Amino acid sequence: MRIGVLTAGGDCPGLNAVIRSVVHRAVVDRNDEVIGFEDGFKGLLDGRHRPLDINSVSGILARGGTILGSARLERGRLQEACRNSEELLERLGLDALIPIGGEGTLTAARMLADAGLPVVGVPKTIDNDISATDRTFGFDTAVTVATEAIDRLKTTAESHQRVMVVEVMGRHAGWIALEAGMASGAHGICVPERPFQIDDLCKMVQERFARGKKFAVICVAEGARPAEGSMPYEKGQIDQYGHERFAGIGNRLAIELEHRLGKEARPVILGHVQRGGTPTAYDRVLATRFGWHAVEAAHRGDFGRMTALRGNEITMVPLADAVAELKTVPQERMDETEAVF
Amino acid sequence: MRIGVLTAGGDCPGLNAVIRSVVHRAVVDRNDEVIGFEDGFKGLLDGRHRPLDINSVSGILARGGTILGSARLERGRLQEACRNSEELLERLGLDALIPIGGEGTLTAARMLADAGLPVVGVPKTIDNDISATDRTFGFDTAVTVATEAIDRLKTTAESHQRVMVVEVMGRHAGWIALEAGMASGAHGICVPERPFQIDDLCKMVQERFARGKKFAVICVAEGARPAEGSMPYEKGQIDQYGHERFAGIGNRLAIELEHRLGKEARPVILGHVQRGGTPTAYDRVLATRFGWHAVEAAHRGDFGRMTALRGNEITMVPLADAVAELKTVPQERMDETEAVF
Amino acid sequence: MRIGVLTAGGDCPGLNAVIRSVVHRAVVDRNDEVIGFEDGFKGLLDGRHRPLDINSVSGILARGGTILGSARLERGRLQEACRNSEELLERLGLDALIPIGGEGTLTAARMLADAGLPVVGVPKTIDNDISATDRTFGFDTAVTVATEAIDRLKTTAESHQRVMVVEVMGRHAGWIALEAGMASGAHGICVPERPFQIDDLCKMVQERFARGKKFAVICVAEGARPAEGSMPYEKGQIDQYGHERFAGIGNRLAIELEHRLGKEARPVILGHVQRGGTPTAYDRVLATRFGWHAVEAAHRGDFGRMTALRGNEITMVPLADAVAELKTVPQERMDETEAVF
Amino acid sequence: MRIGVLTAGGDCPGLNAVIRSVVHRAVVDRNDEVIGFEDGFKGLLDGRHRPLDINSVSGILARGGTILGSARLERGRLQEACRNSEELLERLGLDALIPIGGEGTLTAARMLADAGLPVVGVPKTIDNDISATDRTFGFDTAVTVATEAIDRLKTTAESHQRVMVVEVMGRHAGWIALEAGMASGAHGICVPERPFQIDDLCKMVQERFARGKKFAVICVAEGARPAEGSMPYEKGQIDQYGHERFAGIGNRLAIELEHRLGKEARPVILGHVQRGGTPTAYDRVLATRFGWHAVEAAHRGDFGRMTALRGNEITMVPLADAVAELKTVPQERMDETEAVF
């Protein structure tokens, strides 16, 4: 078999582990040929690819990033490619294509599959918001990095009687905020799924100070929003080139809390640290399993589907399911912690 | 409600997180009274306990060990207690008892439940070998510690053209060896579930050296055993006090490999480092959820059962199921990696 | 002897290790009495203190923050106290006072010493900018945290062909930026000691992209400034309450680079994560040694001085020397790395 | 200039950072040619070398091990090479040779220098026992790894009322045991410099248990020995091939303590984990500085010397000084901690 593999979308710890696993299973065990496309779908359409053998994946298991690169593609080009899918397939000479990526990538993968390409998807997102799989690799690493940061911030907050507001990733789903908040014992957690009441946060801080716990940590997803009327919504700051910039919810919430409480509040924006670097052991195992099962699916001719974790098993689910609905944090999960939401 | 909590068996990162979560849910949210028994079932029978309020669990979420202590109990004393369970219950005045522990503890918990005590179990084992739950807390931490160690050892092995044999925990099940081995890219993995052929390991090392990869790492569960006739089984070393000591499979395998291959082989026995210290974010979240759901189960009167992870949900399963059968590594999981087993 | 100890100024990993070491040496070895003042000099003047015995420092060696708390004091109150130093000393009944703190604290310590109080200082600053000592504890932790973050960011930068601008602490001295930049292989390092030329940074990035290394990481001290005319200096953003806010050099530099280079540039502001949490082994050892030697100095009557590291030895230097001059990064140290300054 | 570089002796985190720094300074800044000899002095004599340019050292700063490999050389071959040093020099065409290594390597370096080769040494040892330099790279990493392990073990010891005996590296000098012991708050520290009294250790444990601290951690250097008559010295165990094996002081001490105290005592042998893997930020900086200054020394013609850290400066010291005397732990350093020695 001739198998193509590509990585698309934002960085995510574990991408290299998938690539390595695909090569190990396909080339070593099954005598396949594997080629890697550079810079995602761009390399696919431009025909930029290189052979991947066992040496080209040596030492990458624990490495962040992706050896294949990743770049954005204008949607138009992909649609055009779908219209000429037969020509594309012939040109590439592929028996299977394994795109590794998030929601956008899986949508594109589905388009290509619908156009007749033999696609096996592998889902990735640090946000953990793909509904067809219990977990995605990259998420555990993001939660781990965020938790270690909050562990550090707590002692500072306590010594200086401060409120620390930690902004973590999660534009549409609050999984990272929820789990990092639970793991680090944050006293407030704000998620996109539920607009927060600034009054509730203030009350929580005041009650803590009243009973002698003179600090608080609030973990905020970047996509969290105040309930209407709860907080004067600052429209965002304009940089000298006319773009709205860096005026995230973490900064705004810290300003607001300091003003209302009359206590020091400091924002910390964790940013890209969460999505780079070496994956946790959990993510390396999950990524390796996904890669292995993607090759097996290709050999079974099980196309138009993607790998998914269900319990302890890796199963295949339709690509359509993957992108049908965002997996968001349900109310029951928020109830499981004493933190204020 | 008056709820008693105790920890029994070996150390396991996340025990304190469960205790803290029980107290947060019961005392803060539900206005219960919580008491903690010292040193496991011993404290239960001896009546050694202390009240646990929100201050007594402050700052323990990320701390290894157990603030309640743990100790062994002679089985006879427990059986006697079961015979007088009504007297015991009356003396303690408990509405619910939450024992947190491994196989032995859950067996004891079941005995107490059968004798009529209102027991809600919480499973813990770093070995991950309890079949009624997808995962147990402590396991992720053990795998993480082992993986970080093997990551370090690989560079040494490579620079010095050596075989490193890393012995990890797992007496009856090879989950830690499997996942740490996969996560770190070990070239050989030995688990209790499948006796290893020393010839296969030797062949793997020789092939690696032949193609220029002049090192190898083998991850061995402490309970792994060579296939009959595969390796001269050393009977164990006797210390000056007459006890068999420290002659683990890791040491023996390294000696054997060095002898057969004529290459340097070094053993590293990770030991107790795997089961102590701060839990990973994953384990803190799982432990916190288990504690929360145990309190909820107590309030529902859902006794004789224990908390379990199934997919992303926490459910309750009969204590009988927990201890019915050891969850071992199936052949399919071994197939998912290129490592030699 | 009756010894008082206090911590003042910003958080710094290792404070608790000093306190613990003072208690171990004084109480256990020398049979002294030790009292801890709460919230820095405030507690000293208000007479808020508590006895510190071996149990009160149990388990704090590896803990961030300070068990004694820290708070700001209006300078006027301290000056008044100095005028009535005899009365203060009598009231406190102290044979020695060990204040642990940075430049401001050591200046206050010197004032108290000049007024006749038996003061032994212990220097602390994560910035490493006290000239009388080779190193201060807290610095190694800050560099370690920053280095781990940049390690993570590099893979993201590489996969996405980006410029990452990482802002680290260091208002007046660039030690953290220098050492974290060297340790992580940053391609540009900006320090307060030398205004940077934005053109030099742009040229470096372009040369890297030209030779196929399509990413760059720039490590910027918060106190770094562009050379005059090098970059349009944005005056700072005003929040809705009228305060200038969060418009640090890292954010501004990323905007500027993206605009000039036409490539994605992203800022990451590490912030308080650098100064909280568990200290590195290096910092724990240095802090422990400082505490031990401070007690010895007190017993020798060696007042008006502070502990200092010189080579491998701990020596005592006049408090006057400590605050005479800021230790800044000399040109020779910048020369030792290939990074653009 | 044409500069040769090689790494010899045991693994040590930071070797790659030195190589990278040599190449950066020599090739990029000074337009030199750099060649790397494979497997230490073996490659030098066999003429196995490869050119090192900026691409060959890309990404190795944070990587453990050595990209050049390391192997042992029979002393006879080196002596012969020294007798024919002119021929060797001519054959290699080197203007400078930078060997990076420990005591053995520096002794060899001195022989070559005495024979007329233009040698600039770079010292490395995780043991920190080279007297001519304040510190060596690799040491901080070893201490950090050991400290993290003991941090983990302490919670286990405490929960289970155990004595943990942790054996760390250090055959002739106890620096790792001293600093890891201090950093982790070990209650006993055994170093080669001072034979330990088993009775003192037992007394310390008993006193701890008596005052309610029912656990203890003892950090033992592999080269530590009991005082004569203090402990029945077990002669070592013999493996099935007739070699004495794995009967280190850690194992023996744990057995002895358990026997005498009647309490559980467990050994943990950290082993090679201490000397592999990614270097700490401290070690990366020190290694980078050493590499840079070695190139500068070569350009100044400053041969027969090696780089050394003195305070905050890198200086050059005669190779003769480096190997004249082992730097051992002085009594004053043992006095600075409350631990029993």
Side-chain angles (χ1 to χ4, degrees):
Chain A
M1 250 186 143
R2 182 170 149 101
I3 298 176
V5 60
L6 63 83
T7 54
D11 200 10
C12 183
L15 289 171
N16 283 328
V18 181
I19 298 169
R20 173 183 176 276
S21 182
V22 165
V23 170
H24 273 270
R25 183 60 181 168
V27 176
V28 182
D29 296 349
R30 287 195 168 273
N31 218 13
D32 295 334
E33 182 191 354
V34 176
I35 58 172
F37 294 101
E38 284 164 22
D39 301 331
F41 288 111
K42 232 179 193 167
L44 180 81
L45 301 192
D46 298 347
R48 279 186 293 118
H49 56 79
R50 56 176 195 264
L52 293 177
D53 63 6
I54 194 170
N55 284 324
S56 39
V57 297
S58 176
I60 69 170
L61 172 56
R63 220 154 81 195
T66 158
I67 58 166
L68 295 176
S70 180
R72 288 207 194 109
L73 182 72
E74 317 84 82
R75 187 151 281 225
R77 283 202 64 195
L78 195 74
Q79 287 166 332
E80 199 197 302
C82 286
R83 281 193 294 274
N84 304 303
S85 60
E86 275 173 52
E87 185 269 338
L88 176 67
L89 198 56
E90 197 174 328
R91 178 152 54 86
L92 297 170
L94 289 182
D95 300 306
L97 175 67
I98 301 178
I100 312 164
E103 216 204 335
T105 305
L106 297 173
T107 304
R110 195 193 163 188
M111 287 167 58
L112 290 170
D114 289 348
L117 263 69
V119 173
V120 179
V122 172
K124 67 105 235 208
T125 157
I126 63 161
D127 289 347
N128 201 34
D129 58 3
I130 295 181
S131 51
T133 180
D134 281 359
R135 292 210 155 203
T136 45
F137 62 85
F139 173 61
D140 189 65
T141 304
V143 171
T144 297
V145 169
T147 300
E148 284 174 4
I150 305 179
D151 280 355
R152 289 202 167 272
L153 293 168
K154 267 186 129 169
T155 60
T156 287
E158 189 166 11
S159 301
H160 292 275
Q161 313 201 345
R162 261 180 199 159
V163 179
M164 300 297 294
V165 177
V166 187
E167 185 186 303
V168 299
M169 287 193 164
R171 212 160 289 179
H172 307 294
W175 291 106
I176 296 176
L178 174 77
E179 298 228 339
M182 282 181 81
S184 60
H187 312 101
I189 299 176
C190 303
V191 293
E193 287 84 350
R194 179 167 148 175
F196 61 86
Q197 296 287 349
I198 185 100
D199 286 343
D200 292 351
L201 294 172
C202 287
K203 206 176 131 204
M204 176 272 291
V205 175
Q206 278 160 335
E207 281 173 1
R208 285 184 58 79
F209 274 72
R211 66 182 174 86
K213 292 281 178 189
K214 303 195 169 183
F215 73 102
V217 173
I218 298 170
C219 184
V220 189
E222 60 181 328
R225 290 289 168 262
E228 217 177 318
S230 153
M231 185 172 129
Y233 194 89
E234 183 194 340
K235 279 296 182 190
Q237 295 153 317
I238 306 297
D239 70 34
Q240 68 267 47
Y241 305 109
H243 299 298
E244 206 170 294
R245 285 277 187 164
F246 311 129
I249 187 67
N251 281 341
R252 298 204 310 273
L253 182 54
I255 294 173
E256 190 71 28
L257 287 170
E258 183 162 314
H259 182 70
R260 291 203 189 190
L261 291 164
K263 302 181 195 309
E264 279 190 17
R266 292 280 176 279
V268 173
I269 316 301
L270 289 184
H272 290 81
V273 180
Q274 296 161 81
R275 70 183 320 134
T278 192
T280 58
Y282 183 97
D283 282 338
R284 296 188 206 171
V285 170
L286 183 56
T288 298
R289 297 182 75 192
F290 274 3
W292 193 92
H293 283 274
V295 172
E296 293 306 288
H299 275 268
R300 284 195 311 268
D302 195 358
F303 300 119
R305 311 226 285 173
M306 69 166 205
T307 57
L309 177 72
R310 291 277 173 84
N312 285 325
E313 307 302 317
I314 307 296
T315 58
M316 300 300 297
V317 296
L319 281 167
D321 291 8
V323 296
E325 199 187 1
L326 209 68
K327 182 173 66 181
T328 54
V329 178
Q331 185 60 45
E332 307 88 68
R333 286 301 304 271
M334 303 183 205
D335 291 340
E336 289 173 2
T337 153
E338 75 287 358
V340 169
F341 275 79
Chain B
M1 251 186 142
R2 182 172 149 100
I3 299 176
V5 61
L6 64 82
T7 53
D11 200 9
C12 183
L15 289 171
N16 283 328
V18 180
I19 298 169
R20 173 183 176 276
S21 183
V22 165
V23 170
H24 273 270
R25 183 59 182 168
V27 176
V28 182
D29 295 350
R30 287 195 167 274
N31 219 14
D32 295 334
E33 182 192 353
V34 176
I35 58 172
F37 294 101
E38 284 163 23
D39 302 331
F41 288 112
K42 230 178 195 169
L44 180 81
L45 301 192
D46 298 347
R48 279 186 294 119
H49 56 79
R50 58 177 195 262
L52 293 177
D53 63 6
I54 193 170
N55 284 324
S56 39
V57 297
S58 176
I60 69 169
L61 171 56
R63 219 153 82 196
T66 158
I67 58 167
L68 295 175
S70 180
R72 290 211 190 106
L73 182 72
E74 318 83 84
R75 187 151 280 226
R77 283 201 64 195
L78 195 74
Q79 286 166 332
E80 197 196 305
C82 286
R83 281 191 294 272
N84 305 302
S85 61
E86 274 174 53
E87 184 270 337
L88 176 68
L89 198 56
E90 197 172 329
R91 177 154 54 84
L92 297 170
L94 288 183
D95 300 306
L97 174 67
I98 302 178
I100 312 164
E103 216 204 333
T105 305
L106 297 174
T107 303
R110 194 192 164 188
M111 288 167 58
L112 290 170
D114 288 349
L117 263 70
V119 174
V120 178
V122 172
K124 69 103 235 207
T125 159
I126 63 161
D127 289 347
N128 201 35
D129 57 3
I130 295 181
S131 52
T133 181
D134 281 358
R135 291 209 154 205
T136 45
F137 62 86
F139 173 61
D140 190 64
T141 304
V143 170
T144 297
V145 169
T147 300
E148 284 174 4
I150 305 179
D151 279 354
R152 288 202 167 273
L153 293 169
K154 268 186 128 171
T155 59
T156 287
E158 188 166 10
S159 301
H160 292 275
Q161 314 201 343
R162 261 181 199 158
V163 179
M164 301 295 295
V165 176
V166 188
E167 184 185 303
V168 300
M169 286 192 164
R171 213 159 290 179
H172 307 294
W175 291 106
I176 296 176
L178 174 77
E179 298 228 339
M182 282 181 81
S184 60
H187 312 102
I189 300 176
C190 304
V191 294
E193 286 85 350
R194 178 167 149 175
F196 60 88
Q197 297 287 350
I198 185 99
D199 286 342
D200 292 350
L201 294 172
C202 288
K203 206 176 129 202
M204 175 273 291
V205 175
Q206 279 160 334
E207 281 174 1
R208 285 185 58 79
F209 274 72
R211 63 182 177 89
K213 291 283 178 188
K214 303 195 169 183
F215 72 103
V217 173
I218 298 170
C219 184
V220 189
E222 60 181 329
R225 290 290 167 262
E228 216 177 316
S230 153
M231 185 172 128
Y233 193 90
E234 184 193 340
K235 279 297 184 189
Q237 295 152 316
I238 307 298
D239 71 33
Q240 69 266 49
Y241 304 110
H243 298 298
E244 208 171 295
R245 285 277 186 164
F246 310 129
I249 186 66
N251 281 342
R252 297 204 311 274
L253 182 54
I255 295 173
E256 189 71 28
L257 287 171
E258 183 163 313
H259 181 69
R260 292 202 188 192
L261 291 165
K263 302 181 195 308
E264 280 190 17
R266 292 282 176 278
V268 173
I269 316 303
L270 289 184
H272 290 80
V273 181
Q274 296 160 82
R275 69 183 320 134
T278 193
T280 58
Y282 183 98
D283 282 339
R284 296 188 206 171
V285 171
L286 183 56
T288 297
R289 298 182 75 191
F290 274 3
W292 193 93
H293 283 274
V295 173
E296 292 306 287
H299 275 268
R300 284 195 310 268
D302 195 358
F303 299 118
R305 312 227 284 173
M306 70 166 203
T307 56
L309 177 71
R310 292 277 171 86
N312 285 326
E313 306 303 317
I314 307 296
T315 59
M316 300 301 295
V317 297
L319 281 166
D321 291 7
V323 297
E325 199 187 359
L326 208 67
K327 182 174 66 180
T328 53
V329 178
Q331 184 60 44
E332 307 88 69
R333 286 302 304 271
M334 303 184 204
D335 291 339
E336 288 174 1
T337 153
E338 75 286 358
V340 169
F341 276 80
Chain C
M1 251 186 141
R2 184 171 147 100
I3 299 176
V5 62
L6 65 82
T7 53
D11 200 10
C12 183
L15 290 171
N16 282 329
V18 181
I19 297 168
R20 173 183 176 277
S21 183
V22 165
V23 170
H24 272 269
R25 182 60 182 168
V27 175
V28 182
D29 296 349
R30 287 195 167 275
N31 219 13
D32 296 334
E33 183 191 353
V34 176
I35 58 172
F37 295 101
E38 284 165 21
D39 301 331
F41 289 111
K42 231 177 195 170
L44 181 81
L45 301 192
D46 298 348
R48 279 186 293 118
H49 56 79
R50 59 177 195 262
L52 292 178
D53 63 6
I54 194 170
N55 284 324
S56 38
V57 297
S58 176
I60 69 170
L61 170 56
R63 219 154 83 196
T66 158
I67 58 166
L68 295 175
S70 180
R72 290 214 189 103
L73 182 73
E74 319 83 85
R75 187 150 279 225
R77 282 202 65 195
L78 194 75
Q79 286 166 334
E80 198 196 304
C82 286
R83 281 192 294 273
N84 304 303
S85 61
E86 274 174 53
E87 184 269 339
L88 176 67
L89 198 55
E90 199 172 329
R91 177 152 53 84
L92 298 170
L94 287 183
D95 300 305
L97 174 67
I98 302 178
I100 312 165
E103 216 204 333
T105 305
L106 297 174
T107 303
R110 194 190 164 190
M111 287 167 57
L112 290 170
D114 288 349
L117 263 70
V119 173
V120 179
V122 172
K124 70 101 235 208
T125 159
I126 62 160
D127 289 347
N128 201 35
D129 57 2
I130 294 180
S131 51
T133 181
D134 281 359
R135 292 208 155 205
T136 45
F137 63 84
F139 173 61
D140 189 65
T141 304
V143 170
T144 297
V145 170
T147 300
E148 284 174 4
I150 305 179
D151 280 355
R152 288 202 168 274
L153 293 168
K154 268 186 128 169
T155 60
T156 287
E158 189 166 10
S159 300
H160 292 276
Q161 313 201 343
R162 261 180 199 157
V163 179
M164 301 296 294
V165 176
V166 187
E167 186 186 302
V168 299
M169 287 192 164
R171 211 159 291 179
H172 306 295
W175 292 106
I176 296 175
L178 174 77
E179 298 227 339
M182 283 181 80
S184 59
H187 312 103
I189 299 176
C190 303
V191 293
E193 288 83 352
R194 178 166 149 176
F196 61 86
Q197 297 287 348
I198 185 100
D199 286 342
D200 292 350
L201 294 171
C202 287
K203 207 175 129 205
M204 175 273 290
V205 175
Q206 279 160 334
E207 281 173 2
R208 285 184 58 79
F209 273 72
R211 65 183 176 87
K213 292 281 179 188
K214 302 195 170 184
F215 72 102
V217 173
I218 298 171
C219 185
V220 189
E222 61 181 328
R225 289 289 167 263
E228 216 177 318
S230 153
M231 184 171 130
Y233 193 91
E234 184 194 339
K235 279 299 185 189
Q237 294 151 315
I238 307 297
D239 70 32
Q240 69 266 49
Y241 304 108
H243 298 297
E244 206 171 296
R245 283 278 185 166
F246 308 130
I249 187 65
N251 281 341
R252 297 204 310 274
L253 182 54
I255 295 173
E256 190 71 27
L257 287 171
E258 184 163 312
H259 182 69
R260 291 201 189 194
L261 291 165
K263 302 180 195 309
E264 279 190 17
R266 291 283 176 278
V268 173
I269 316 301
L270 290 184
H272 290 81
V273 181
Q274 297 161 81
R275 70 181 321 134
T278 191
T280 58
Y282 183 98
D283 282 339
R284 295 188 206 171
V285 171
L286 183 56
T288 298
R289 297 182 74 191
F290 274 3
W292 194 92
H293 282 275
V295 173
E296 292 307 287
H299 275 268
R300 283 194 313 267
D302 196 358
F303 299 119
R305 312 226 284 174
M306 69 165 204
T307 56
L309 177 71
R310 292 278 171 84
N312 285 327
E313 307 302 317
I314 307 296
T315 59
M316 300 301 295
V317 297
L319 281 167
D321 292 6
V323 296
E325 200 186 359
L326 209 68
K327 182 173 66 181
T328 53
V329 178
Q331 184 59 46
E332 307 88 67
R333 286 301 303 272
M334 302 183 205
D335 291 341
E336 288 173 3
T337 153
E338 74 288 356
V340 169
F341 276 80
Chain D
M1 249 184 143
R2 183 171 148 99
I3 299 176
V5 60
L6 63 83
T7 53
D11 200 10
C12 183
L15 290 170
N16 282 329
V18 181
I19 298 168
R20 175 184 174 276
S21 182
V22 165
V23 170
H24 273 269
R25 183 59 182 169
V27 175
V28 182
D29 295 350
R30 287 194 168 275
N31 219 13
D32 295 334
E33 182 191 353
V34 176
I35 59 173
F37 294 100
E38 284 164 21
D39 301 332
F41 288 112
K42 233 180 194 167
L44 181 81
L45 300 192
D46 298 347
R48 278 187 293 119
H49 56 78
R50 58 176 194 262
L52 293 178
D53 63 6
I54 195 170
N55 284 324
S56 39
V57 297
S58 177
I60 69 170
L61 171 56
R63 218 154 83 196
T66 158
I67 58 166
L68 295 176
S70 180
R72 288 208 193 109
L73 183 71
E74 319 83 83
R75 187 151 280 226
R77 282 202 64 196
L78 195 75
Q79 286 166 334
E80 198 197 304
C82 285
R83 280 192 295 273
N84 304 303
S85 61
E86 273 173 54
E87 184 269 339
L88 176 67
L89 198 56
E90 198 172 329
R91 177 154 52 86
L92 297 169
L94 288 183
D95 299 307
L97 175 68
I98 302 179
I100 312 165
E103 216 204 334
T105 305
L106 296 174
T107 303
R110 194 192 163 188
M111 287 166 59
L112 290 171
D114 288 349
L117 263 71
V119 173
V120 179
V122 172
K124 69 103 236 207
T125 158
I126 63 160
D127 290 347
N128 200 34
D129 57 3
I130 294 181
S131 52
T133 180
D134 282 359
R135 291 209 155 204
T136 45
F137 62 85
F139 173 62
D140 189 64
T141 304
V143 170
T144 297
V145 169
T147 300
E148 284 173 4
I150 305 179
D151 280 355
R152 287 202 169 273
L153 293 168
K154 268 187 128 168
T155 59
T156 286
E158 189 165 10
S159 301
H160 291 275
Q161 312 200 345
R162 261 182 199 158
V163 179
M164 300 296 293
V165 176
V166 187
E167 185 185 302
V168 299
M169 286 193 164
R171 211 159 290 180
H172 306 295
W175 291 107
I176 296 176
L178 174 76
E179 299 228 338
M182 283 180 81
S184 60
H187 312 102
I189 300 176
C190 303
V191 293
E193 288 84 350
R194 179 166 148 177
F196 61 86
Q197 297 287 348
I198 186 100
D199 285 343
D200 292 351
L201 294 171
C202 287
K203 205 176 132 204
M204 175 273 290
V205 175
Q206 279 161 334
E207 281 174 1
R208 285 183 59 79
F209 273 73
R211 65 184 176 85
K213 292 281 178 190
K214 302 194 170 184
F215 73 103
V217 174
I218 298 171
C219 184
V220 189
E222 60 181 329
R225 290 291 167 262
E228 216 176 318
S230 153
M231 185 173 129
Y233 194 91
E234 184 193 338
K235 279 297 183 191
Q237 294 151 316
I238 306 298
D239 69 34
Q240 69 266 49
Y241 304 108
H243 298 297
E244 207 169 294
R245 285 277 184 165
F246 310 130
I249 186 66
N251 280 342
R252 298 203 310 273
L253 182 54
I255 295 173
E256 189 72 28
L257 287 171
E258 184 163 313
H259 181 70
R260 292 202 190 192
L261 292 164
K263 301 181 195 308
E264 279 191 18
R266 291 282 177 278
V268 173
I269 316 302
L270 290 185
H272 290 81
V273 180
Q274 297 161 80
R275 68 181 323 133
T278 191
T280 58
Y282 183 97
D283 282 339
R284 296 189 206 171
V285 171
L286 183 56
T288 298
R289 297 182 75 191
F290 274 3
W292 194 93
H293 282 275
V295 173
E296 293 306 289
H299 275 268
R300 283 196 312 268
D302 196 359
F303 298 119
R305 312 225 285 173
M306 70 165 204
T307 56
L309 177 72
R310 291 277 173 83
N312 285 327
E313 307 302 318
I314 307 296
T315 58
M316 301 300 295
V317 297
L319 281 166
D321 291 7
V323 296
E325 200 186 359
L326 208 69
K327 183 173 66 180
T328 54
V329 178
Q331 185 59 45
E332 306 88 67
R333 287 300 305 272
M334 304 183 204
D335 291 341
E336 289 173 3
T337 153
E338 75 286 358
V340 169
F341 276 79

